[in-house]
Amino acid sequence: MNTERKVLLIDDDADLVAINEAVFAARGFTVDKAYNGKVGFERARDGKPDAIVLDVMMSTNSEGFDLARRLRGDDATRGIPLVMVTSVNSTVPFTYEPDGVFLPVDRFLEKPVPPETLVHEVERILASLPGTGS
Amino acid sequence: MGEPQRILVVDDEVGMREGCRRILAAEGFVVETAADGRAALEHFQAAGGFDVVISDLKMPRMGGMDLIEALHAIDEDALLLVITAYATIDTAVDATKRGAYGYIPKPFTPDELLLHVRNGLEKRALRLEARQLREERERRLLEVAFERSKSTTILNCMTDGVLVINRHGQIVLRNQALSRILPDGMPLPTPVETLGIPELSDLVLEVVRSEDALIASKELAIGPCTYMVNAAPVREPVGETLGAVAVLRDITALKKLEVAKSMFVSMVAHELKSPLATIESSLGLILSGAAGNDAERDRHLMNRALLRATTLRTLVGDLLNLTAIETGNFTLKRTRTDVCRVVREVVDGLADKAAEKGVSLALACDEPLAASEILADTNAIHSVITNLIDNAIKYTPKGGHVSVRVDDAGAYARVSVQDDGIGMTAAERDRVFDEFYRVKNEQTAAIPGTGLGLTLVRRLVEMHQGRIDVDSTPGRGSTFRVRLPTTAYAQGA
């Protein structure tokens, strides 16, 4: 097991972050946390996580989308796998292409996501990457 | 036979008058006589007309020729038979030109007289019948015109647009409301397609062509508005379709309401789902042991779950109250309420919570306060003050201060709740009373709330004819001020 794995959890629900943190930590992950897009981007750039779990709706309905695009547009964060969790309802018209541009995230999961499922998805993505997980 | 027919005999020779009377009376006619034209005219008017007037031509005062004209001025259908001793073709022609229906040269036999009179009576009957028909037709025309203008007026007073098309798909009628919806100056009839709304023309044409009395409905967006279109066939009693009538009702406001409603339901669902998911995950995590055993962490998770559950219950309570207010089922039970006392109670009740968090909570109540007593629902005011002070404690970090003050502000009792907490930006402050709006940033992430508390506060304050406003600076704190009309003011003194 790779004990160097680090995951960044970005969600404005502190309780949800705390729960996921516990499960990721139990699976041997180092966990970093952010409660908004701005801090999330800084942690992603400076902390070099192996994967990011990102909520779509934070202070605005598209904060998660905006952050995802920003992460994909930055050389320092472009290669980090992104798992996006969404609360799909009519106030957040869910779309893979919020402005007609395909959003390159690695996985979409609909809330509520059982923490074990989330960890499992992140582990699967990391395992499939060439040159990691050895 | 109905009533006996009435004949007026006019002659200046009494022998002639009486001779005629005898002949006619023997046949069952009612006969009256006059000695000259003027007397005949007076008689005619007084008696309300005669079926036939038999008149000599040469008489004193007024002759037969003048009598014809005078009679026709009174009754254009009056029938006059001329008897004359000067029987020449000229006088006969002259008399008929002037309107007599015939003439008899003197001397004449009783049979000749009766023949001419019966001719006249037949003519009279025909004329009366014609007149009746004419009058009836005129009355009907008037009725139709009146009905038509009545229908037109009603149609034009309707707020719904009305469109009638014939079986050829041409518009034959539209009311004023329709002209407002679809401005189109085309003279009628015009093909329905000229309206330029294919969905509308397709709908009405489908109805016209349908065999089985189809009634079609459709929602149609025209410009910024939405219309409900109901189209039905116009049929003859025997069943043949003559065309279709479409009624366009503006349902824009209804649609907006519908959208607002589903938005609201969706937001409520979201607000319920998130904390429930957190509670579910926390309990699941602890019970499954998936993240190992960490007593302290588990205790923290359980405390958070409990807090979220409490928040959920508050949310449901707030929702019920808000719904009650919206539906008018929330009635204020106004009694004399001492604002100072209510505020003191709330402050006392929240003292432990503030102390636990390390926030100081101070109350300044200028007593005796002239305006302290208001006419209000004590529970509602309690809820308002609780919400405001609880918020102040929640959004003020450890070591901060919350001060509550009650004072006079003209006709109002004013309650100010001031904190030196995290504060809000102008944009956040503008939305803070909106349903489900919560300021979201790193500092507020762990603070539970429903986003309905301040919405409820404002509604309750407004129900008391009060006002609420807020000043706030990020990093410096917020001040909420509630003004409630005093008893004196509320009574209109």
Side-chain angles (χ1 to χ4, degrees), chain B residues 459-471:
Chain B
R459 296 305 297 265
L460 290 174
V461 169
E462 283 170 354
M463 282 179 85
H464 283 88
Q465 289 81 44
R467 293 286 305 274
I468 183 163
D469 51 66
V470 54
D471 285 336

Side-chain angles (χ1 to χ4, degrees), chain A residues 16-92:
Chain A
L16 213 57
V17 171
I19 295 160
N20 288 333
E21 178 185 12
V23 181
F24 272 104
R27 291 286 298 178
F29 280 86
T30 306
V31 179
D32 199 359
K33 297 166 286 188
Y35 302 110
N36 64 46
K38 186 172 165 287
V39 177
F41 180 74
E42 287 163 11
R43 292 270 204 285
R45 195 186 51 204
D46 304 338
K48 303 259 182 286
D50 296 295
I52 298 171
V53 177
L54 177 60
D55 182 29
V56 171
M57 189 164 84
M58 286 184 275
S59 70
T60 66
N61 285 349
S62 64
E63 191 173 340
F65 285 127
D66 298 340
L67 176 59
R69 265 197 299 276
R70 207 171 152 204
L71 290 168
R72 284 294 185 246
D74 193 293
D75 286 341
T77 55
R78 183 168 291 140
I80 306 172
L82 272 179
V83 174
M84 185 165 264
V85 286
T86 63
S87 298
V88 182
N89 63 47
S90 64
T91 57
V92 188

Side-chain angles (χ1 to χ4, degrees), chain B residues 88-162:
Chain B
T88 65
I89 295 296
D90 287 347
T91 42
V93 170
D94 200 17
T96 43
K97 266 186 187 164
R98 292 211 185 192
Y101 78 87
Y103 69 95
I104 321 176
K106 288 180 189 174
F108 50 82
T109 63
D111 282 346
E112 279 174 324
L113 175 66
L114 284 172
L115 181 71
H116 275 91
V117 166
R118 290 216 162 95
N119 268 342
L121 286 170
E122 250 173 59
K123 273 195 173 56
R124 171 76 176 169
L126 284 172
R127 283 195 185 183
L128 284 180
E129 198 177 324
R131 183 201 282 188
Q132 236 171 10
L133 286 173
R134 197 168 61 233
E135 281 172 358
E136 194 158 314
R137 201 174 62 232
E138 276 167 9
R139 205 178 60 241
R140 283 219 179 121
L141 271 172
L142 207 68
E143 273 171 14
V144 166
F146 178 64
E147 278 304 319
R148 187 173 290 173
S149 88
K150 206 160 75 177
S151 309
T152 308
T153 308
I154 292 169
L155 270 177
N156 283 334
C157 287
M158 284 175 69
T159 49
D160 293 352
V162 177

Side-chain angles (χ1 to χ4, degrees), chain B residues 37 100 183 206 221 239 244 273 320 346 388-389 412 418 422 456 485:
Chain B
E206 189 191 348
K273 192 177 170 187
L320 288 173
V346 175
L388 292 178
I389 299 179
Y412 295 90
Q418 185 177 8
I422 60 177
L456 199 61

Side-chain angles (χ1 to χ4, degrees), chain A residues 12-13 15 19 23 57, chain B residues 270 273 282 285 304 308 440:
Chain A
D12 64 342
D13 187 333
D15 293 336
I19 295 160
V23 181
M57 189 164 84
Chain B
H270 178 78
K273 192 177 170 187
S282 295
L285 183 69
R304 291 298 303 178
R308 299 293 285 258
K440 285 189 169 185

Side-chain angles (χ1 to χ4, degrees), chain B residues 350-388:
Chain B
L350 289 169
D352 283 352
K353 187 172 182 174
E356 209 173 288
K357 203 186 168 187
V359 171
S360 79
L361 177 59
L363 169 65
C365 213
D366 299 349
E367 285 187 283
L369 196 66
S372 173
E373 193 168 78
I374 62 169
L375 206 55
D377 184 314
T378 311
N379 288 335
I381 299 303
H382 198 280
S383 165
V384 166
I385 307 297
T386 305
N387 254 296
L388 292 178

Side-chain angles (χ1 to χ4, degrees), chain B residues 189-200:
Chain B
T190 175
V192 67
E193 287 90 347
T194 55
L195 291 173
I197 315 276
E199 284 167 299
L200 180 59

